[in-house]
Amino acid sequence: MAALWRGLSRPDPTGIDRVVPPTGFTAQLTVFAAAAMAFLAVFALALALATGRLAERWSSELAQTVTVRISAPPDQIEQQVATVMQVLQTTPGIAESRQIPDADVEKLLEPWFGPDVPVEVLPIPRLIEVTETGDGIDADALRLRLQGEAPGAILDDHTRWREPLVRAASRLRLLGLFSLVLIAAASAAMITLAAKAALAANGQVIRVLRLIGSRDITIATAFVRRFTQRAALGALLGSVLGMVAIWALPTVDEAGGFLTGLGFQGWGWLWPLLIPLVAAAIGFWATRSAALRMLREVR
């Protein structure tokens, strides 16, 4: 192991690196596979980071607001709204409470009922949006108080909405991380196949090198050096292309919120720069394992 690391860091005065073809099928395959996998890894990493931010944002935003829904006969609705507003104004932990205007309710219903929803003729409950302070509210106590003073009022703390959304975002993040693991495994498999093909193609040369006194560790170092360099170069190209593609994506506003902020932010742009280093490490271990195994078979 130490000899392999020394071989990677030192120059090649004997010229044994020429055993590994500098160009050809295996070289092109290694560079292309590393570039393609790095490109996909950038998007998988962006997905994992974006969904992590999304889960935190959804959790914090929904946790800071609750909604009071008031359903009552037409002749009692205004009185109950006034009662609920008075209760909320005297409840600790509430920063602001406001009744959602009919125009906003109409926009909320538009995806289901279409434009020009007749809000005034539909039995739509009144909605009051409540913003909590940093200390929060005692939801159970507020719910009991509303039931006693305004029987038609129901407190919704968004738990049934928040938990599935956060759970879905967390699973997407795990999917992104699992994709990175699969990409690393596929890269190792491709580099291993390319290294074995190069070793098999140079079987006669390896036998001659042994006859003149070259050790297996020296021969293996030549292959490890070349394939590690190719993996790192291909991953660097793929990472740069992936970062450019991520940078060229439209913003959330331009995409209508569809992309949900997919991409990197701030120091997050440094994460893709680790991909070439990881690819070089994968190339090192994959080639080392393949070279030592194949050299034992070549006699």
Side-chain angles (χ1 to χ4, degrees):
M1 177 64 185
L4 282 173
W5 276 115
R6 288 195 299 271
L8 286 172
S9 58
R10 292 177 181 176
D12 180 38
T14 62
I16 199 171
D17 276 8
R18 287 177 292 179
V19 173
V20 186
T23 59
F25 173 73
T26 56
Q28 296 171 1
L29 176 63
T30 305
V31 174
F32 174 77
M37 293 302 175
F39 185 86
L40 296 176
V42 170
F43 278 87
L45 182 60
L47 173 65
L49 294 176
T51 50
R53 293 193 302 268
L54 189 63
E56 293 177 0
R57 185 169 71 248
W58 280 347
S59 181
S60 61
E61 289 179 355
L62 291 176
Q64 293 174 354
T65 61
V66 296
T67 303
V68 178
R69 185 173 69 253
I70 305 172
S71 300
D75 58 338
Q76 301 178 17
I77 188 70
E78 295 299 334
Q79 179 60 38
Q80 292 213 19
V81 169
T83 302
V84 169
M85 293 297 293
Q86 185 177 3
V87 169
L88 295 176
Q89 290 173 2
T90 58
T91 300
I94 293 180
E96 181 186 4
S97 58
R98 71 178 186 92
Q99 182 178 345
I100 299 179
D102 291 343
D104 293 346
V105 175
E106 183 176 343
K107 290 181 180 178
L108 294 174
L109 297 176
E110 186 173 326
W112 287 270
F113 294 97
D116 302 325
V117 181
V119 177
E120 63 281 355
V121 300
L122 292 177
I124 298 175
R126 300 292 177 87
L127 301 178
I128 298 177
E129 183 182 54
V130 180
T131 303
E132 302 180 28
T133 62
D135 298 332
I137 63 174
D138 186 343
D140 293 333
L142 178 58
R143 189 174 287 110
L144 291 174
R145 187 178 176 188
L146 289 173
Q147 288 177 358
E149 301 190 28
I154 299 176
L155 179 67
D156 183 3
D157 60 0
H158 303 159
T159 300
R160 64 172 182 173
W161 298 100
R162 181 172 66 247
E163 291 181 352
L165 289 174
V166 174
R167 187 164 56 248
S170 299
R171 289 178 178 176
L172 279 175
R173 178 170 53 186
L174 290 176
L175 179 61
L177 295 175
F178 183 66
S179 299
L180 289 173
V181 174
L182 289 181
I183 290 170
S187 299
M190 294 296 292
I191 294 173
T192 299
L193 291 175
K196 285 184 176 182
L199 285 159
N202 290 275
Q204 290 293 340
V205 177
I206 292 172
R207 293 186 182 93
V208 172
L209 289 173
R210 282 174 171 168
L211 288 176
I212 62 178
S214 295
R215 297 184 303 163
D216 283 356
I217 195 66
T218 305
I219 301 172
T221 299
F223 283 89
V224 171
R225 189 201 311 269
R226 282 289 179 87
F227 278 89
T228 300
Q229 292 172 351
R230 292 169 183 173
L233 176 61
L236 179 60
L237 294 175
S239 298
V240 171
L241 291 176
M243 293 174 70
V244 171
I246 291 290
W247 176 79
L249 287 175
T251 62
V252 178
D253 294 335
E254 294 174 351
F258 173 73
L259 297 174
T260 62
L262 178 64
F264 304 103
Q265 295 180 359
W267 292 100
W269 284 99
L270 296 179
W271 283 108
L273 300 181
L274 296 177
I275 294 176
L277 299 178
V278 175
I282 292 174
F284 174 85
W285 288 106
T287 310
R288 174 184 180 274
S289 176
L292 295 179
R293 188 182 304 111
M294 288 290 291
L295 287 171
R296 287 194 295 267
E297 298 175 359
V298 176
R299 297 299 177 190

